[in-house]
Each structure stands twice: as structure tokens, then as C-alpha cells.
Amino acid sequence: MAPPQSSEEHPEPARVADPSPLIWLGGGLPPRFRWVSSSLVEALGHPLEAWKTRGFVSQLVHPEELGGLLEAWGAVARTGEPRTLELRALSAEGRPVRLAVELSAVEPSPDGTGELIGTVRVLSPPHPPERVEHTAPSIDEMLQEITRTQRMHEELIDAIDGIVWETDANFRFTFVSKQAERILGYPIHQWMEDPGFWLKHLHPEDRDWASAYCMKSAKECMAHEFEYRMVAANGTSVWLRDIVTVVSENGVPRQLRGIMVDVTAQRRARQDLEQTVSLLRATLDSTADGIIVLTQDWHITAVNGRFQKLWSIPDAMLEGRDGRVLSEYMRAQMENAEQVHPRTQQLLASPEQEGVDVLELRDGRFIERYSRPQRLGDTVVGRVWTYRDVTVERRAQAESERLLREAREAIRVRDDFLSIASHELKTPLTPLKLHLQVLKHRMDSGQPVPAQHVDKALTQVARLSGLINDLLDTSRIQAGRLELRNEPVSLGALTHEVLADLRAVSPHRSLEYEEPAEPLLIQGDHGRLAQVLVNLLENALKYSPTGGTIRVRVERDGAQALVSVSDSGIGIPPDQKALLFERFFRARNAPISGFGGLGLGLYICRDIVERHGGRIWVESEVGHGSTFHFTLPVLEDEAPATPPETALHPR
Ligand code: ADP
């Protein structure tokens, strides 16, 4: 009878090659599995928790093939290029299983810590433990094998870009990889021999918190990861990210293992970036201009405090970062929004274009707006809008333009005056000289002297003295020295006198007088008031070169006497009326009358009338004549005949 076959001799394949892919996810340095499909767990027999422990990769993969896997893992994690390799893994029972593994990167990262996805196919089922059919290896062979494996581990560890370390429960280093020398500059033996090495070389600013944090985590048997600075042998600070696992037994920490990665360059880059950003923010906030940056679809990417203040923008309005809302709000504040809006549209339609515009605000401010495209490399990504309050400059400019205009006008008036005055003063001299020469010739030759020559000479003398008197009066007014008498004056009588004198010298002109219904007494200077009336009448005659009737009307208007002198002459352009009573002013159409003048008569009239408490003005239409009116306060019957001096208005 054949002996029963033991299951040892004919083991049934425990797990048969499964054509469907088995999957895991993993990453980090050193690499570890993060997720494993249940079919893969089942295929190899290791419990799921074991897969997730640190270092399981090196337990799972056959030592001869571990190097190849780690190299491929790192390359795929860095470059993202998938790779396929075959390797032997050890099942839970310690049997080798041939696997085909395809590695692809989920998220490649330059430091090789990115996440990978592994697809596994079982090529051969686990074999029963290899029978020791041949002779057992010699001690030497075993030692050689151990040394070889150890060397490979060391090479692997040294290839890791970080300090791989191990300490006992008292934080004394029991292993430190060679990279420590390159990264911090201290020889490895110092780490191992000096029990307080780590603490001693921690940066003083990080020493307390980092050591306390590490001790607490170790005590609680908690894996942890933190960043701190150590002082290197050359005195520089090196930023390290330390990834630590705690090996414990029954809740008591036995060992700490970890890897310190040099993150100084990253930290520095981050710091530089933070500094640049905060510098930009500070610059943005300290500028005197309001600045806002918008993307092409109106999203606000930056805005400074000055902008907010300039436009009184409530904080809440900026919360949504919507440029359109802001634009509406700003438009409502603009006086010239109708002009500005099309310009804004034009700028938005041509992203490359720059522009400067002046915005007039309803509150009277002027704001200059600059707009430039915001570029990232060669691409326009948005638009920068800068706003500057130029109200003060604008007002100062307007004021200086006004002053300049006035100064130019004053110079023009002075020049005109000099040429007019010299011409006006010279004009009567020529006929005067002529008449005097005729008179002298007649007298020398014993001929009778004709009265008309004497009269004409006297007329020119009167004209000359009239001009000189006007100049004198003007300088008296300017100096505040034009004196006025203060006595009751009958306006009716005064007008009669003036008209009688005028009729005598201008017998051919038609002069009409409409008397007041009642006698009108006023208080003042008879001579100066007559001067006012004479001036208005002479102007009426002078500026009606084609003749026509001159009308004088004196009437009562409430408490005032109103005197009006009308002509049907050349009239006065509307824009010149307000200036007629200014010194040296002559309306632009005055020269067409053919008469000269100094532009002083009305200036003197206004001074006299106003100092009597009255008012003077003109109504006129170009080509249809003018009416000059002036008022004077009527002296009531009960008023004292000689009121005090103060009744007149001193200048
Ligand atoms: P002048 O007559 O010597 O120029 P006035 O001071 O009397 O100086 O008058 C100032 C200006 O007012 C005149 O130059 C003239 O342009 C205008 N003007 C005065 N009266 C009349 C008037 N009746 N009709 C038209 N223009 C007048």
C-alpha cells in the first residue's frame, strides 16, 4: 500500500496566478504603501496593517531585487515616466512569488516623494519553502551573504538624499547615514558619541520648542514630522524636515528612526517670496496713488488703501472682488461719466493700449487716471488702473492761467492807454496851434481878430482840460482823495442847466427832456453830479454819429430818483457791458464812432454815483442805442436841510 501522500510533499498552490491586476498606491521617502487592494493583500497573505508600516517595502521585496525596485520607484516618482519590472516578493509564509509590477506616477515631484500607483501581476504562485536538498551553506558563505546584503542596505541608505538616523529611547544616535556629513559638516562619530549632539546643535531659536515637541511625540509613541534649524559646522543655519517614527513595545518607546531632509533652499525661496510679496504690498499701500488691478474678466487681483480712500469704497464692497460693482459705484461719483465711459470701454477692448484721462468728480475733485496693461511675460493678463488726485494742481493751474490772463490784459490796457492818451492829448493841440497862429498873424498885421478863431481855440483848450481833468479825477479816485461837497441839490434844476449848456454847444442835435412830476431834492455835490450827467450826454452824442434824438428823463422811483439818458447810437456788445465802468475800458466797437476817448468817464461817473449812495447801469443793444440809468436817494421833506457829512459815502 502506498503510503499516504503528505500535504508537505505535494503542496497545493495556496494562491493561484491571478490574471486580473492587483493594485497599490504608495509614495514618500523612504517609499511606503498607502493603500493596497484587497486582492493584492490576499495574493501575498500579509495582513493589511503590515503593508502600511514604514519599511514594509524592504521586507516584502527580495533583497536582491530591492535596489532595482527603489531605483525604479524614485525615477518614476521624479519623472512621471512609467516603468515595468519583474521581481520576487516574499509571501506571508516566506515563499518567493514572481511578480510583474508596472509603476506609474499619480503626481510626480522633483524630490521623488510623489505618489505612485503600482499594478501587479502574479507570474508564478508561491512555491513551498525551498527544500534544503543540497548541502547547507558554509558559515563563510552565510557571512558573505550577510555582508553583501548589509553593504547593499548601506549603499541604498547612503543614496537617499537625507540623513537617515536611528536613536535609542534616550535620543542617543545609534545610526546616522553618511549624508549627515555632507549636509551639516560634522563627522558621523560626533553624532554617535556625544549624547546631547542633536540638542546642542539645534538652532537656539528652535531648541526649546523642537526638543519639547520631539520628546512629547516620542513619549506618546507618535510618528511625527516637523521643520527646524540646525547649526552646521561652518556656522550656517540649515533647515531640516525631520520625519520620525517611534518604535515601541507595549506602549513604551524603544527606538526612534527618521530621515532629515535639507529644506533650506525651499525655506529660503519661500521666505524670499513672502518678503517680495510683503514688499510689494507695502509699496502698493505707501504710494500716494490709488491702485487697482483687474483681470480681463473684471476680477480684482489687487487694490490698495489709497484707492479705497480716494473713492470712499466700503470694505464690504471689495469682499466679492467684483470689478463691475466697483465700476458702477465710481461712475455714480463722476461728473463727466458720459465722456469717461466710452474711453474705458475702448481701453478694455484693446488690452495692449495705455491711456490717461481726467475724471471730474461731483464733489469738485479732479482725478487723473492712468491705465496700463498688466503682463505676465508676453501675455496681457489684466489691467492696472492708477488714480491720482490732481485737484490742487488743477486749481493752481487755473488760477495761474487767470493771473496770466489778467496780467496780459493789464499790460494791454496800459499800452492802449499810453497810445490813446498821447493821441487824445495831442489831437486838440494841432487845431489849437492853427487857430492861435491865425490870430497872431492877424494881430501882427493889424487885422481884426475873428471871434470864431478865438472860440475854436477855446473849444480845443476845453477839450484838453477835460482830458486832463479826467486823468486827475481818476488818480484822485485811486488815491481816495476825490472830495465831494455835501449840500441839497435839485435834480430838475441841475438837469436844466446841463441841457442848456449842451444845447449851446451842440445846437444841431435833438435833445429831449422829460421832467419829474415833482421836484426831486437830493443830498450831494452839485458840480460832480452835473459832471456825471454831462459825461453821459456827451457819450450819447459821441456814440450816435449818425444823429438821432437824445432823451433825458428824471423821475421818482420809490425812495430813489432815477435819471436815464437814451440814445439811438452804436450800442454796446453784451459781453462788454460789465466792463464799461472799469478804468480805461473802451468797448470794442467804440472806435467806429470816430471819436476818441480815454475810457475814464464812466469810471468816474460810477465812483461819484456810488459815493452818493446810488447805482449806475446800462441797457443796450448793438446798433440800436443805449440807455444809461443812475439812481440817487431822494432827500425827504422832513430830512434836515444840511445832513451830516457822513450822508455821503466816502471811498
Ligand atoms: P470814453 O468815452 O472816453 O471812451 P467812457 O468811460 O465815457 O470813456 O466810456 C467807456 C466806453 O463805454 C466807451 O469807450 C464806449 O465804448 C462805451 N460807451 C459809453 N457810452 C456809450 C454810448 N452811449 N453808446 C455806446 N457806447 C458807449
Side-chain angles (χ1 to χ4, degrees), residues 294-339:
L294 296 175
T295 60
Q296 276 161 332
D297 56 359
W298 290 85
H299 179 73
I300 302 169
T301 47
V303 58
N304 70 353
R306 181 77 190 124
F307 172 86
Q308 225 183 318
K309 207 161 160 217
L310 210 58
W311 291 96
S312 314
I313 310 245
D315 289 342
M317 196 172 276
L318 290 173
E319 272 165 20
R321 298 252 141 195
D322 187 348
R324 282 198 179 83
V325 175
L326 224 56
S327 156
E328 280 305 310
Y329 183 74
M330 287 157 74
R331 254 176 85 178
Q333 295 183 46
M334 280 182 228
E335 187 65 54
N336 64 341
E338 294 313 311
Q339 291 160 14

Side-chain angles (χ1 to χ4, degrees), residues 89-311:
L90 295 173
S91 71
E93 300 90 333
R95 297 173 192 182
V97 188
R98 283 212 67 74
L99 302 175
V101 182
E102 193 180 313
L103 299 173
S104 343
V106 176
E107 196 184 3
S109 71
D111 60 0
T113 57
E115 185 125 73
L116 292 195
I117 182 160
T119 315
V120 178
R121 270 182 313 116
V122 179
L123 300 175
S124 70
H127 294 295
E130 280 167 40
R131 291 253 180 81
V132 187
E133 279 166 0
H134 42 268
T135 48
S138 67
I139 297 284
D140 272 0
E141 278 173 337
M142 279 167 68
L143 276 175
Q144 265 175 19
E145 179 61 23
I146 290 168
T147 319
R148 210 171 56 78
T149 314
Q150 203 176 352
R151 209 176 35 245
M152 215 179 64
H153 272 122
E154 277 169 14
E155 274 171 17
L156 258 175
I157 285 174
D158 290 342
I160 291 174
D161 189 15
I163 306 170
V164 180
W165 57 266
E166 189 181 74
T167 67
D168 60 18
N170 298 320
F171 301 100
R172 189 179 171 137
F173 287 103
T174 50
F175 173 79
V176 177
S177 71
K178 282 198 189 127
Q179 295 282 7
E181 274 190 31
R182 188 183 61 77
I183 295 174
L184 287 167
Y186 303 104
I188 305 293
H189 68 87
Q190 264 188 35
W191 289 70
M192 318 277 275
E193 286 159 12
D194 182 349
F197 181 86
W198 183 67
L199 205 61
K200 224 181 264 175
H201 294 93
L202 273 176
H203 189 284
E205 280 176 28
D206 296 339
R207 189 172 292 141
D208 292 346
W209 75 262
S211 58
Y213 173 70
C214 186
M215 272 178 218
K216 181 171 176 285
S217 307
K219 210 167 132 198
E220 291 167 5
C221 300
M222 253 177 43
H224 52 284
E225 197 172 315
F226 59 140
E227 279 183 22
Y228 55 84
R229 280 163 294 178
M230 279 186 82
V231 181
N234 63 5
T236 56
S237 298
V238 178
W239 274 100
L240 297 172
R241 180 181 300 140
D242 207 348
I243 307 150
V244 186
T245 43
V246 184
V247 182
S248 58
E249 263 175 41
N250 305 324
V252 179
R254 294 282 174 232
Q255 267 187 330
L256 269 73
R257 282 185 201 143
I259 176 162
M260 297 171 182
V261 184
D262 182 354
V263 290
T264 314
Q266 277 154 270
R267 290 293 293 221
R268 220 167 265 155
R270 201 158 71 204
Q271 261 172 11
D272 283 356
L273 193 71
E274 277 165 11
Q275 208 176 343
T276 312
V277 169
S278 86
L279 198 74
L280 278 177
R281 177 124 295 279
T283 313
L284 205 64
D285 275 336
S286 62
T287 165
D289 295 343
I291 299 174
I292 185 164
V293 186
L294 296 175
T295 60
Q296 276 161 332
D297 56 359
W298 290 85
H299 179 73
I300 302 169
T301 47
V303 58
N304 70 353
R306 181 77 190 124
F307 172 86
Q308 225 183 318
K309 207 161 160 217
L310 210 58
W311 291 96

Side-chain angles (χ1 to χ4, degrees), residues 539 542-543 567 572 580 585-587 590 597-602 626:
N539 277 352
K542 188 160 81 172
Y543 297 110
D567 63 59
I572 297 151
L580 285 195
F585 186 84
R586 306 203 74 218
L598 286 176
L600 291 175
L602 289 180
S626 314

